[in-house]
Amino acid sequence: MSKIIKLKNEEAVVISILIKNVELDDKKSCSRRRFLRSIKPIIEEFDLAKQALQIKYGSKKEDGELVVKNGQVEFLPEKKREFEVAFTALSSDENIIDVTPANEADIETIITILKDLTAEFIQTNKEKFTAENYDYLCAVEESVVALTPTEITK
């Protein structure tokens, strides 16, 4: 039996955002660095594909340059829906990561980091829990689930 992780593009981005600035001890920090390095190609490919969709569906000036307001690409109403459909599909694309002896401990460490983030966040915010807090916790929990390996038979 071997193990895999099915990691969606959007999950890879969320996980990298959640863990990249967390203060960690040296061992966990090394695991994080190796893990982030391993998913970097997924995130880079996703970013390039997103840019291609923005170019395809985004509003353009007369010179062909994208119209950007407040750091966001503008879309004509009829093209915005097409972009959203294409972007949702792109975000949901799955990447298969083989769980090997070389990366299994790092994946387990990332799961531990995410669980620690949850516990710390709940402790810190237990008196003033908001909808935003709930969204954050859902993102962390979904990341833990996404990183949980699935056993497959070959």
Side-chain angles (χ1 to χ4, degrees):
M1 292 243 179
S2 60
K3 296 179 188 177
I4 61 167
I5 294 172
K6 294 181 181 179
L7 191 64
K8 294 179 185 175
N9 286 332
E10 66 184 342
E11 293 167 338
V13 171
V14 168
I15 290 167
S16 72
I17 291 168
L18 288 171
I19 67 172
K20 71 179 177 183
N21 293 320
V22 177
E23 285 190 38
L24 301 169
D25 63 42
D26 289 347
K27 184 177 179 184
K28 286 182 180 177
S29 183
C30 288
S31 289
R32 173 183 55 196
R33 184 174 58 252
R34 284 189 300 268
F35 178 77
L36 289 175
R37 205 176 311 144
S38 75
I39 65 170
K40 185 177 180 182
I42 294 169
I43 295 169
E44 288 174 344
E45 187 176 318
F46 174 68
D47 286 342
L48 288 173
K50 177 184 174 186
Q51 289 172 7
L53 291 175
Q54 289 172 327
I55 291 167
K56 181 176 181 178
Y57 296 109
S59 298
K60 295 179 183 70
K61 300 175 189 173
E62 288 181 18
D63 64 1
E65 206 174 305
L66 286 173
V67 177
V68 179
K69 289 186 182 171
N70 299 323
Q72 299 292 316
V73 174
E74 292 285 309
F75 297 91
L76 295 173
E78 62 272 13
K79 293 288 188 178
K80 185 167 180 70
R81 181 70 184 132
E82 291 177 53
F83 171 79
E84 288 170 349
V85 168
F87 183 69
T88 299
L90 174 65
S91 297
S92 298
D93 280 352
E94 286 185 338
N95 304 278
I96 304 299
I97 299 173
D98 290 320
V99 179
T100 66
N103 67 6
E104 188 168 25
D106 291 340
I107 293 166
E108 290 171 3
T109 299
I110 299 305
I111 290 171
T112 299
I113 292 167
L114 290 166
K115 288 179 177 180
D116 291 348
L117 281 176
T118 299
E120 180 182 326
F121 189 82
I122 289 171
Q123 183 64 31
T124 304
N125 295 286
K126 65 183 174 190
E127 300 299 325
K128 51 185 178 197
F129 210 74
T130 65
E132 278 183 6
N133 296 61
Y134 181 75
D135 289 344
Y136 173 82
L137 288 177
C138 286
V140 175
E141 183 57 34
E142 289 167 359
S143 297
V144 169
V145 171
L147 286 176
T148 303
T150 304
E151 289 193 14
I152 59 169
T153 54
K154 289 189 177 183

